[in-house]
């Protein structure tokens, strides 16, 4: 197993480098001019100098290598520096005494065209919001979807099953931007603001939880994004869960277990559920990148200041480094969770051997 | 497939009196069997009915309704649904129903054309990878690579980049239409290719292929006449999923402001343009949204029924 993981990790490296090259090239070939958003009063020769300083006129391969060095070496080292040091950085961005300075403070980093600050600093600010929303909604999806799938498979063709199938079909088909907008119409627009079930239509990312009231507000503003994304995930997970349970319920070992006189609860929850969970767990892992993609839209609906929102802003502002970096982070997520799914499959199912 | 009636009669699954009847039945084609099964899937029939109604609504509808979607009527801004305007009016008094009818044409056209591209690409690559062993490795690595690409961010980036050049080349609407369907097609063929390849790998080893090969059938005819008809059912099921996926992707892109321009609205575009007026005129959001959801729902149910109908293991259960 360990050799398999190592081999897969080594194989992932060229794939990621290739993907980063494709992403870099697609974004780089854009006709967008990084100086287009600057005031028109800047004379052409100064404009040319700015372009020069951004390194836009270099040959493409050189630009890619420069970006790759910053992406794969400088930025991880800076993250490591921050992780190892408990004290904040000094104003000139160098490390305080007693901390390990791995890269000189004036090393060039990936700079956003829009804000002129390092891209990774912006991502570090917005990533927690995305993780919050995506993580909690995925957990809600699992908590709703799994029991629903189990019950509807156990009582196949019953009223519960038909209801659950219809729910998952509907949840699967209605795009999140429509459910989100409808939720806003119902719970923010039509509901009087002093009612207890009123919910804010946009997400305030600067809100700090310090006492009970602010905690309640935090819950209130999280309910809608979480439920909209969570119900969508629940619909998918319950479908997989149902199919997998149905496959297993017809197996011979289930009959054997019943013949031995085991209780129905033991048979279903211990024997069948454990075996049915194997494909479902891998599907859950495989779906994580897609959920991040879905969060892109949910963040737009509820104005959550996450990385999806940053990406849209960057695309609108022709902020090439930002777009490249966030797209690449998404690609890393896809590759990583593919690997996790394969490894989980091997760990959970002893019949699968990779060696 | 042809020996099914006899099997049923022998195993006694049907009442004894019915058995001779089944035996005397004329031989039935695979498609008649599939249609019989499909007809009994209640969800699939409801989906089919719904989908046909929506198609009629957007094709024949404008002709019957006869209201110009761009006609302004500033005295009737934000009018609630009534007999004169069954779906209400928009911010400049345009009739929502007329808008939605014309928008639906584009949304459905995007869905169907993108599906065609997805199936074409996926089948082509799946057939090549499954049939020619020398191409298998490289084509499957390519598929894996495409599966690892982050689809939605990449779609956004590509559309941002190529919108202008294509608009100048083919005109705004045609340019964006071409861009939209090709981009959706290029980023969603991978599952089809995998399914087709897997099925072909299994079919290739069957005796009838060996027989066809031994009488000297060239690869091209082998693929077109013997292999493709046998992988048609998974391709058709993927087709329904592809339509649903394309419609959702198109509206999501429009929602993010990277779709068709406002004077050439699709359902997704009408919806996003209406979001800012939700407080005054919720019907502007509800009707296009319901239509998107209904279309996708009915297509998904049709796919569900089709899968049941075309899978001989499930059929007759």
């Amino acid at each position: 197993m360990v050799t398999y993981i190592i081999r897969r990790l080594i194989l992932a490296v060229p794939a990621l480098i290739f993907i980063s090259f494709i992403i870099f090239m697609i974004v780089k070939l854009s006709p967008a001019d990084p100086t287009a958003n600057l005031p028109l009063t800047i004379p052409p020769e100064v404009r040319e100098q700015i372009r020069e300083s951004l390194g836009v006129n270099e040959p493409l391969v050189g630009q890619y290598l420069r970006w790759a060095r910053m992406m794969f070496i400088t930025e991880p080292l800076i993250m490591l520096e921050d992780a190892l040091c408990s004290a904040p950085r000094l104003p000139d961005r160098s490390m305080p005494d007693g901390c390990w300075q791995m890269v000189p403070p004036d090393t060039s980093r990936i700079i956003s065209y829009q804000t002129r600050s390092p891209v990774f600093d912006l991502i570090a600010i917005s990533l927690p919001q995305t993780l919050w929303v995506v993580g909690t909604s995925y957990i809600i999806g699992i908590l709703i979807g799994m029991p629903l799938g189990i019950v509807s498979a156990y009582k196949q063709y019953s009223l519960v099953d038909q209801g659950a199938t219809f729910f998952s079909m509907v949840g699967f088909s209605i795009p999140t931007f429509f459910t989100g907008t409808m939720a806003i119409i119902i719970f923010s627009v039509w509901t009087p603001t002093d009612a207890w079930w009123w919910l804010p239509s946009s997400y305030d990312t600067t809100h700090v939880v310090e006492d009970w009231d602010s905690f309640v507000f935090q819950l209130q503003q999280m309910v809608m994004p979480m439920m909209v994304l969570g119900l969508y995930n629940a619909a998918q997970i319950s479908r997989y869960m149902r199919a997998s349970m149905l496959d297993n319920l017809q197996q011979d070992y289930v009959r054997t277990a019943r013949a031995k006189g085991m209780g129905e609860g033991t048979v279903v929850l211990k024997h069948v559920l454990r075996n049915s969970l194997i494909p479902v767990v891998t599907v859950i892992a495989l779906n994580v990148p897609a959920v991040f993609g879905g969060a892109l839209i949910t963040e737009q609906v509820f104005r959550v200041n996450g990385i999806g929102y940053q990406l849209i802003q960057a695309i609108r502002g022709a902020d090439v480094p930002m777009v490249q970096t966030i797209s690449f982070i998404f690609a890393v997520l896809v590759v990583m969770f593919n690997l996790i799914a394969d490894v989980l499959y091997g760990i959970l199912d002893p019949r699968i051997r990779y060696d | 497939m042809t020996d099914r009636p006899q099997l049923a009669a022998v195993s006694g699954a049907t009442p004894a009196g019915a058995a001779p009847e089944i035996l005397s039945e004329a031989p039935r084609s695979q498609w008649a069997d599939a249609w019989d099964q499909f007809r009994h899937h209640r969800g699939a029939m409801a989906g089919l009915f719904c989908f046909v109604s929506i198609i009629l609504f957007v094709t024949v509808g404008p002709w019957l309704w006869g209201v110009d979607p761009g006609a302004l009527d500033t005295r009737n801004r934000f009018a609630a649904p009534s007999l004169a305007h069954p779906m209400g009016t928009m911010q400049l008094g345009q009739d929502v129903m007329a808008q939605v009818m014309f928008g639906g044409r584009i949304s459905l056209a995007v869905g169907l054309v993108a599906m065609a591209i997805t199936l074409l690409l996926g089948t082509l690559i799946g057939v090549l990878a499954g049939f020619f062993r020398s191409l298998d490795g490289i084509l499957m690595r390519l598929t894996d690579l495409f599966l690892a690409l982050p689809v939605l961010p990449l779609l956004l980036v590509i559309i941002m980049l190529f919108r202008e050049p294509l608009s100048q080349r083919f005109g705004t609407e045609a340019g964006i239409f071409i861009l939209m369907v090709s981009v959706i097609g290029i980023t969603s063929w991978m599952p089809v290719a995998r399914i087709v390849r897997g099925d072909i790998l299994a079919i290739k080893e069957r005796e009838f292929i060996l027989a066809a090969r031994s009488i000297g059938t060239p690869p091209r005819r082998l693929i077109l006449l013997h292999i493709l008809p046998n992988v048609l059912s998974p391709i058709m099921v993927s087709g329904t999923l592809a339509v649903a996926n394309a419609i959702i992707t198109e509206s999501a892109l429009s929602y993010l402001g990277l779709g068709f321009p406002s004077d050439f609205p699709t359902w997704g575009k009408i919806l996003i343009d209406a979001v800012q007026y939700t407080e005054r005129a919720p019907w502007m959001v509800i009707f296009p949204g319901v239509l998107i959801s209904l279309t996708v729902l009915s297509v998904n149910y049709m796919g569900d029924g089709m899968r049941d109908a075309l899978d001989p293991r499930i059929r007759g259960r």
Side-chain angles (χ1 to χ4, degrees), chain A residues 82-98:
Chain A
D82 281 333
L84 292 178
C85 187
S86 52
R89 283 171 182 274
L90 300 177
D92 63 337
R93 301 208 46 82
S94 59
M95 302 304 289
D97 292 332

Side-chain angles (χ1 to χ4, degrees), chain B residues 167-234:
Chain B
S167 299
Q168 283 161 6
R169 190 86 184 268
F170 301 99
T172 321
E173 289 94 30
I176 292 180
F177 186 83
I178 293 171
L179 182 64
M180 196 68 95
V181 293
S182 47
V183 155
I184 294 175
I186 288 170
T187 49
S188 55
W189 54 268
M190 296 79 75
V192 186
R194 280 195 160 180
I195 294 169
V196 170
R197 170 183 172 267
D199 276 12
I200 286 185
L201 282 181
I203 289 172
K204 222 171 60 174
E205 305 301 323
R206 301 264 290 273
E207 284 83 0
F208 71 95
I209 297 295
L210 187 67
R213 226 193 261 274
S214 56
I215 57 168
T217 318
R220 201 172 63 89
R221 287 174 61 84
L222 203 59
I223 291 172
L224 289 179
L225 285 180
H226 298 280
I227 291 184
L228 270 189
N230 280 299
V231 288
L232 209 55
S233 48

Side-chain angles (χ1 to χ4, degrees), chain A residues 172 239, chain B residues 115 236-246 299-300 303 307:
Chain A
F172 203 62
R239 280 185 72 148
Chain B
M115 171 203 73
M236 279 170 65
V237 175
S238 316
T240 58
L241 287 180
V243 173
N245 175 42
V299 169
N300 276 340
R307 185 172 30 227

